[in-house]
Amino acid sequence: MKIIKNNIFLIIIVILLTLNVVTLYGSIILYERLMKAQLDPTGTWFDIYKKNVGSPNCLFIGDSRVSQWKVPPSFCKSFMYGFSGFTSSQIFLALPMLEVPDSVDTVFLQLGINDLKTIGLYEDKEYDIRSNLMKNLDGIALFFVKKNIKVYITTIIPAGKISYPRKLIWTTLVDESVDEINRYLLRLNVKGIEVIDVAIEFNQQYELYKDELHLNSKGYEKLNEVIIKSFNNK
């Protein structure tokens, strides 16, 4: 009996030590992210995925959904800026610092989910978060329109199947807000800006996702397919 008690005590000690290590590691990661945000609020030093080809004609800008978009539509020679985890406000702030090759005549935008997912934490700020996203989407698009670059905004791809841990900070208001922003985008009537409704192809199509927010290779194939079809129908 004494041996059993000692073993139980040792197991408890190991569990507690493991939890302490995990907590310390998590704290270090959070501290590192805080320091990055203070050093580089625009993300142009640390958190940017940049892919360039010679004389690109298309520029893709967005969050991690762009940074993981390794194979763009076939008609594009692409220059890509993907900011993992970034909100529309951060991307808007970074715009003046981004290199845009003179050969670029088309811009594709895919962003917004990182804004809207925060509604799970700040439900009382739902309206403000949505309004700010609309303002930023308009501002980012007009930034390029003023440079005589055609802008295509792709509607915000909805979330995939929500995992149990994320359900703790998720709410149906997030999904409703994605739909609301997409309806707003589809009503846009601004010269130099067109909207491609890609979201409709992903609604509850969980086989196209690798997790709640990110697409798998089949998802990107579908995304390219919708964009190419949209261009062929012009």
Side-chain angles (χ1 to χ4, degrees):
M1 181 65 70
K2 185 176 180 180
I3 294 176
I4 294 175
K5 287 183 179 180
N6 287 338
N7 287 339
I8 292 174
F9 179 74
L10 286 173
I11 291 171
I12 293 173
I13 292 296
V14 169
I15 291 173
L16 291 175
L17 287 173
T18 301
L19 289 174
N20 283 333
V21 170
V22 170
T23 301
L24 176 61
Y25 180 68
S27 299
I28 291 172
I29 291 176
L30 290 175
Y31 181 73
E32 180 186 13
R33 288 180 178 177
L34 176 62
M35 291 300 99
K36 279 184 178 180
Q38 291 178 331
L39 281 171
D40 179 27
T42 65
T44 51
W45 293 4
F46 293 108
D47 298 313
I48 183 171
Y49 166 77
K50 180 178 176 181
K51 177 183 177 182
N52 188 15
V53 297
S55 301
N57 63 322
C58 296
L59 173 63
F60 288 74
I61 294 181
D63 46 40
S64 56
R65 288 170 167 178
V66 169
S67 67
Q68 296 178 25
W69 199 340
K70 304 303 184 185
V71 181
S74 56
F75 62 84
C76 281
K77 289 180 65 178
S78 302
F79 192 97
M80 309 188 83
Y81 282 117
F83 299 85
S84 181
F86 268 39
T87 63
S88 62
S89 294
Q90 291 173 293
I91 293 174
F92 182 68
L93 185 62
L95 284 181
M97 303 182 188
L98 301 183
E99 173 192 357
V100 180
D102 293 336
S103 57
V104 167
D105 57 20
T106 305
V107 168
F108 291 90
L109 304 179
Q110 170 56 224
L111 63 143
I113 192 64
N114 288 327
D115 297 69
L116 300 180
K117 73 182 184 184
T118 64
I119 293 173
L121 295 171
Y122 308 108
E123 290 190 30
D124 59 321
K125 297 293 185 181
E126 175 197 3
Y127 175 81
D128 295 325
I129 291 169
R130 290 198 321 224
S131 298
N132 189 60
L133 175 54
M134 292 177 189
K135 180 186 71 175
N136 288 332
L137 284 168
D138 290 346
I140 294 168
L142 290 173
F143 176 86
F144 293 103
V145 169
K146 290 176 182 177
K147 295 178 179 290
N148 295 316
I149 297 174
K150 181 73 175 183
V151 176
Y152 291 90
I153 305 177
T154 56
T155 52
I156 300 173
I157 298 170
K161 189 174 183 179
I162 305 302
S163 65
Y164 287 108
R166 189 175 283 274
K167 283 182 179 180
L168 297 173
I169 52 172
W170 198 265
T171 169
T172 56
L173 290 175
V174 176
D175 307 302
E176 292 169 9
S177 294
V178 169
D179 292 339
E180 176 61 30
I181 295 296
N182 286 342
R183 285 193 292 270
Y184 165 76
L185 290 174
L186 292 169
R187 292 194 301 268
L188 275 182
N189 183 19
V190 180
K191 185 178 180 181
I193 301 174
E194 291 191 31
V195 178
I196 300 177
D197 190 8
V198 299
I200 193 171
E201 300 291 339
F202 289 86
N203 189 33
Q204 296 187 340
Q205 301 298 312
Y206 301 139
E207 71 278 5
L208 301 177
Y209 293 78
K210 68 178 181 181
D211 59 31
E212 302 98 324
L213 302 178
H214 303 102
L215 306 180
N216 57 26
S217 58
K218 289 183 179 179
Y220 282 106
E221 288 174 7
K222 173 60 71 174
L223 184 55
N224 287 339
E225 177 187 312
V226 176
I227 291 175
I228 291 170
K229 182 178 180 181
S230 175
F231 269 70
N232 289 340
N233 288 338
K234 292 185 183 302

